[in-house]
mmCIF file of all heavy atoms in Angstrom:
data_model
loop_
_atom_site.group_PDB
_atom_site.id
_atom_site.type_symbol
_atom_site.label_atom_id
_atom_site.label_comp_id
_atom_site.label_asym_id
_atom_site.label_seq_id
_atom_site.Cartn_x
_atom_site.Cartn_y
_atom_site.Cartn_z
ATOM 1 N N GLU A 27 -109.818 129.932 139.935
ATOM 2 C CA GLU A 27 -109.138 129.227 141.081
ATOM 3 C C GLU A 27 -109.427 127.691 140.891
ATOM 4 O O GLU A 27 -110.470 127.294 140.629
ATOM 5 C CB GLU A 27 -109.762 129.679 142.354
ATOM 6 C CG GLU A 27 -109.162 129.093 143.573
ATOM 7 C CD GLU A 27 -109.843 129.469 144.830
ATOM 8 O OE1 GLU A 27 -110.284 130.656 144.949
ATOM 9 O OE2 GLU A 27 -109.924 128.667 145.773
ATOM 10 N N ILE A 28 -108.277 126.990 141.000
ATOM 11 C CA ILE A 28 -108.317 125.465 140.898
ATOM 12 C C ILE A 28 -108.306 124.901 142.298
ATOM 13 O O ILE A 28 -107.443 125.307 143.089
ATOM 14 C CB ILE A 28 -107.124 124.977 140.074
ATOM 15 C CG1 ILE A 28 -106.964 125.675 138.768
ATOM 16 C CG2 ILE A 28 -107.174 123.481 139.935
ATOM 17 C CD1 ILE A 28 -108.013 125.395 137.744
ATOM 18 N N SER A 29 -109.209 123.972 142.563
ATOM 19 C CA SER A 29 -109.242 123.377 143.921
ATOM 20 C C SER A 29 -109.914 121.989 143.837
ATOM 21 O O SER A 29 -110.555 121.705 142.896
ATOM 22 C CB SER A 29 -109.963 124.270 144.941
ATOM 23 O OG SER A 29 -111.379 124.380 144.520
ATOM 24 N N LEU A 30 -109.691 121.242 144.928
ATOM 25 C CA LEU A 30 -110.360 119.898 145.025
ATOM 26 C C LEU A 30 -111.773 120.157 145.547
ATOM 27 O O LEU A 30 -112.014 120.967 146.403
ATOM 28 C CB LEU A 30 -109.617 119.023 145.996
ATOM 29 C CG LEU A 30 -108.451 118.225 145.505
ATOM 30 C CD1 LEU A 30 -107.900 117.267 146.556
ATOM 31 C CD2 LEU A 30 -108.672 117.479 144.246
ATOM 32 N N ASP A 31 -112.684 119.360 145.080
ATOM 33 C CA ASP A 31 -114.071 119.431 145.550
ATOM 34 C C ASP A 31 -114.449 118.044 146.052
ATOM 35 O O ASP A 31 -114.932 117.215 145.319
ATOM 36 C CB ASP A 31 -114.999 119.886 144.379
ATOM 37 C CG ASP A 31 -116.467 119.879 144.743
ATOM 38 O OD1 ASP A 31 -116.762 119.880 145.940
ATOM 39 O OD2 ASP A 31 -117.330 120.021 143.876
ATOM 40 N N LEU A 32 -114.237 117.793 147.297
ATOM 41 C CA LEU A 32 -114.483 116.542 147.918
ATOM 42 C C LEU A 32 -115.993 116.291 148.075
ATOM 43 O O LEU A 32 -116.383 115.112 148.158
ATOM 44 C CB LEU A 32 -113.797 116.429 149.284
ATOM 45 C CG LEU A 32 -112.259 116.524 149.222
ATOM 46 C CD1 LEU A 32 -111.718 116.602 150.641
ATOM 47 C CD2 LEU A 32 -111.657 115.397 148.478
ATOM 48 N N THR A 33 -116.790 117.328 148.080
ATOM 49 C CA THR A 33 -118.301 117.132 148.163
ATOM 50 C C THR A 33 -118.961 116.890 146.823
ATOM 51 O O THR A 33 -120.041 116.330 146.760
ATOM 52 C CB THR A 33 -118.921 118.365 148.843
ATOM 53 O OG1 THR A 33 -118.705 119.551 147.991
ATOM 54 C CG2 THR A 33 -118.352 118.638 150.225
ATOM 55 N N GLY A 34 -118.335 117.404 145.724
ATOM 56 C CA GLY A 34 -118.864 117.273 144.389
ATOM 57 C C GLY A 34 -119.978 118.277 144.142
ATOM 58 O O GLY A 34 -120.739 118.177 143.181
ATOM 59 N N LYS A 35 -120.001 119.319 144.920
ATOM 60 C CA LYS A 35 -121.132 120.356 144.804
ATOM 61 C C LYS A 35 -120.731 121.750 144.393
ATOM 62 O O LYS A 35 -121.495 122.578 144.205
ATOM 63 C CB LYS A 35 -121.906 120.418 146.140
ATOM 64 C CG LYS A 35 -122.433 119.136 146.649
ATOM 65 C CD LYS A 35 -123.860 118.996 146.448
ATOM 66 C CE LYS A 35 -124.356 117.772 147.121
ATOM 67 N NZ LYS A 35 -125.174 116.959 146.309
ATOM 68 N N LYS A 36 -119.381 122.017 144.388
ATOM 69 C CA LYS A 36 -118.904 123.340 144.078
ATOM 70 C C LYS A 36 -119.238 123.703 142.631
ATOM 71 O O LYS A 36 -119.303 122.901 141.757
ATOM 72 C CB LYS A 36 -117.393 123.444 144.261
ATOM 73 C CG LYS A 36 -116.870 123.507 145.609
ATOM 74 C CD LYS A 36 -115.416 123.712 145.673
ATOM 75 C CE LYS A 36 -114.882 123.706 147.049
ATOM 76 N NZ LYS A 36 -113.387 123.843 147.074
ATOM 77 N N ALA A 37 -119.498 125.053 142.466
ATOM 78 C CA ALA A 37 -119.790 125.539 141.123
ATOM 79 C C ALA A 37 -118.547 125.671 140.255
ATOM 80 O O ALA A 37 -117.475 126.025 140.828
ATOM 81 C CB ALA A 37 -120.473 126.923 141.189
ATOM 82 N N GLY A 38 -118.621 125.412 139.047
ATOM 83 C CA GLY A 38 -117.492 125.566 138.147
ATOM 84 C C GLY A 38 -117.227 124.369 137.235
ATOM 85 O O GLY A 38 -117.875 123.321 137.291
ATOM 86 N N ARG A 39 -116.284 124.491 136.396
ATOM 87 C CA ARG A 39 -115.903 123.428 135.449
ATOM 88 C C ARG A 39 -115.185 122.297 136.278
ATOM 89 O O ARG A 39 -114.257 122.573 137.046
ATOM 90 C CB ARG A 39 -114.918 124.029 134.378
ATOM 91 C CG ARG A 39 -114.338 123.014 133.471
ATOM 92 C CD ARG A 39 -115.179 122.878 132.236
ATOM 93 N NE ARG A 39 -114.510 122.061 131.268
ATOM 94 C CZ ARG A 39 -115.077 121.040 130.676
ATOM 95 N NH1 ARG A 39 -116.283 120.715 130.892
ATOM 96 N NH2 ARG A 39 -114.382 120.257 129.815
ATOM 97 N N GLY A 40 -115.513 121.062 135.998
ATOM 98 C CA GLY A 40 -114.914 119.991 136.768
ATOM 99 C C GLY A 40 -114.237 118.930 135.922
ATOM 100 O O GLY A 40 -114.541 118.693 134.782
ATOM 101 N N ALA A 41 -113.214 118.307 136.509
ATOM 102 C CA ALA A 41 -112.532 117.187 136.034
ATOM 103 C C ALA A 41 -112.339 116.181 137.170
ATOM 104 O O ALA A 41 -112.335 116.562 138.316
ATOM 105 C CB ALA A 41 -111.211 117.556 135.422
ATOM 106 N N TYR A 42 -112.228 114.927 136.856
ATOM 107 C CA TYR A 42 -112.199 113.897 137.942
ATOM 108 C C TYR A 42 -110.925 113.124 137.974
ATOM 109 O O TYR A 42 -110.246 112.970 136.913
ATOM 110 C CB TYR A 42 -113.377 112.887 137.720
ATOM 111 C CG TYR A 42 -114.716 113.547 137.886
ATOM 112 C CD1 TYR A 42 -115.370 114.223 136.876
ATOM 113 C CD2 TYR A 42 -115.387 113.445 139.161
ATOM 114 C CE1 TYR A 42 -116.578 114.786 137.077
ATOM 115 C CE2 TYR A 42 -116.613 114.088 139.315
ATOM 116 C CZ TYR A 42 -117.238 114.757 138.291
ATOM 117 O OH TYR A 42 -118.397 115.352 138.475
ATOM 118 N N VAL A 43 -110.558 112.679 139.138
ATOM 119 C CA VAL A 43 -109.342 111.910 139.424
ATOM 120 C C VAL A 43 -109.649 110.857 140.540
ATOM 121 O O VAL A 43 -110.527 111.164 141.387
ATOM 122 C CB VAL A 43 -108.135 112.778 139.762
ATOM 123 C CG1 VAL A 43 -108.297 113.456 141.098
ATOM 124 C CG2 VAL A 43 -106.836 112.098 139.685
ATOM 125 N N CYS A 44 -108.943 109.744 140.406
ATOM 126 C CA CYS A 44 -109.139 108.752 141.458
ATOM 127 C C CYS A 44 -108.688 109.271 142.848
ATOM 128 O O CYS A 44 -107.925 110.200 142.908
ATOM 129 C CB CYS A 44 -108.309 107.464 141.168
ATOM 130 S SG CYS A 44 -108.845 106.610 139.703
ATOM 131 N N LYS A 45 -109.148 108.614 143.917
ATOM 132 C CA LYS A 45 -108.820 109.043 145.279
ATOM 133 C C LYS A 45 -107.443 108.535 145.726
ATOM 134 O O LYS A 45 -107.293 108.260 146.869
ATOM 135 C CB LYS A 45 -109.847 108.606 146.296
ATOM 136 C CG LYS A 45 -111.176 109.409 146.143
ATOM 137 C CD LYS A 45 -112.104 108.866 147.230
ATOM 138 C CE LYS A 45 -113.425 109.596 147.098
ATOM 139 N NZ LYS A 45 -114.420 109.142 148.088
ATOM 140 N N ASN A 46 -106.503 108.458 144.843
ATOM 141 C CA ASN A 46 -105.126 108.047 145.257
ATOM 142 C C ASN A 46 -104.105 109.012 144.611
ATOM 143 O O ASN A 46 -104.312 109.590 143.626
ATOM 144 C CB ASN A 46 -104.836 106.589 144.931
ATOM 145 C CG ASN A 46 -104.810 106.284 143.412
ATOM 146 O OD1 ASN A 46 -104.251 107.035 142.672
ATOM 147 N ND2 ASN A 46 -105.405 105.192 143.084
ATOM 148 N N ALA A 47 -103.007 109.136 145.320
ATOM 149 C CA ALA A 47 -101.947 110.069 144.881
ATOM 150 C C ALA A 47 -101.317 109.681 143.609
ATOM 151 O O ALA A 47 -100.827 110.550 142.878
ATOM 152 C CB ALA A 47 -100.881 110.193 146.017
ATOM 153 N N ASP A 48 -101.304 108.404 143.287
ATOM 154 C CA ASP A 48 -100.604 107.961 142.051
ATOM 155 C C ASP A 48 -101.355 108.518 140.825
ATOM 156 O O ASP A 48 -100.690 109.009 139.864
ATOM 157 C CB ASP A 48 -100.585 106.407 141.933
ATOM 158 C CG ASP A 48 -99.702 105.825 142.997
ATOM 159 O OD1 ASP A 48 -98.805 106.538 143.501
ATOM 160 O OD2 ASP A 48 -99.925 104.665 143.312
ATOM 161 N N CYS A 49 -102.692 108.489 140.805
ATOM 162 C CA CYS A 49 -103.474 109.026 139.643
ATOM 163 C C CYS A 49 -103.256 110.531 139.569
ATOM 164 O O CYS A 49 -103.184 111.009 138.431
ATOM 165 C CB CYS A 49 -104.917 108.595 139.757
ATOM 166 S SG CYS A 49 -105.197 106.900 139.214
ATOM 167 N N LEU A 50 -103.194 111.203 140.672
ATOM 168 C CA LEU A 50 -102.954 112.644 140.649
ATOM 169 C C LEU A 50 -101.632 112.941 140.017
ATOM 170 O O LEU A 50 -101.472 113.877 139.262
ATOM 171 C CB LEU A 50 -103.133 113.261 142.014
ATOM 172 C CG LEU A 50 -102.993 114.793 142.074
ATOM 173 C CD1 LEU A 50 -104.073 115.424 141.240
ATOM 174 C CD2 LEU A 50 -103.066 115.279 143.490
ATOM 175 N N ALA A 51 -100.630 112.126 140.408
ATOM 176 C CA ALA A 51 -99.249 112.323 139.840
ATOM 177 C C ALA A 51 -99.262 112.109 138.350
ATOM 178 O O ALA A 51 -98.567 112.847 137.601
ATOM 179 C CB ALA A 51 -98.271 111.424 140.579
ATOM 180 N N LYS A 52 -100.011 111.082 137.889
ATOM 181 C CA LYS A 52 -100.061 110.807 136.458
ATOM 182 C C LYS A 52 -100.695 111.936 135.735
ATOM 183 O O LYS A 52 -100.289 112.407 134.644
ATOM 184 C CB LYS A 52 -100.850 109.496 136.187
ATOM 185 C CG LYS A 52 -100.135 108.237 136.547
ATOM 186 C CD LYS A 52 -100.997 107.075 136.254
ATOM 187 C CE LYS A 52 -100.467 105.761 136.823
ATOM 188 N NZ LYS A 52 -101.384 104.613 136.636
#
């Protein structure tokens, strides 16, 4: 399951993105 982790504490493989919609779109 793929989801956002706003707390940074969920278990699993992680990747990071800026807190703006433009970077998510890129």
Side-chain angles (χ1 to χ4, degrees):
E27 182 183 326
I28 308 290
S29 63
L30 278 185
D31 179 13
L32 298 173
T33 63
K35 306 255 187 230
K36 285 186 182 177
R39 173 93 174 130
Y42 292 84
V43 68
C44 294
K45 287 184 182 177
N46 65 44
D48 294 337
C49 279
L50 183 62
K52 287 179 191 175

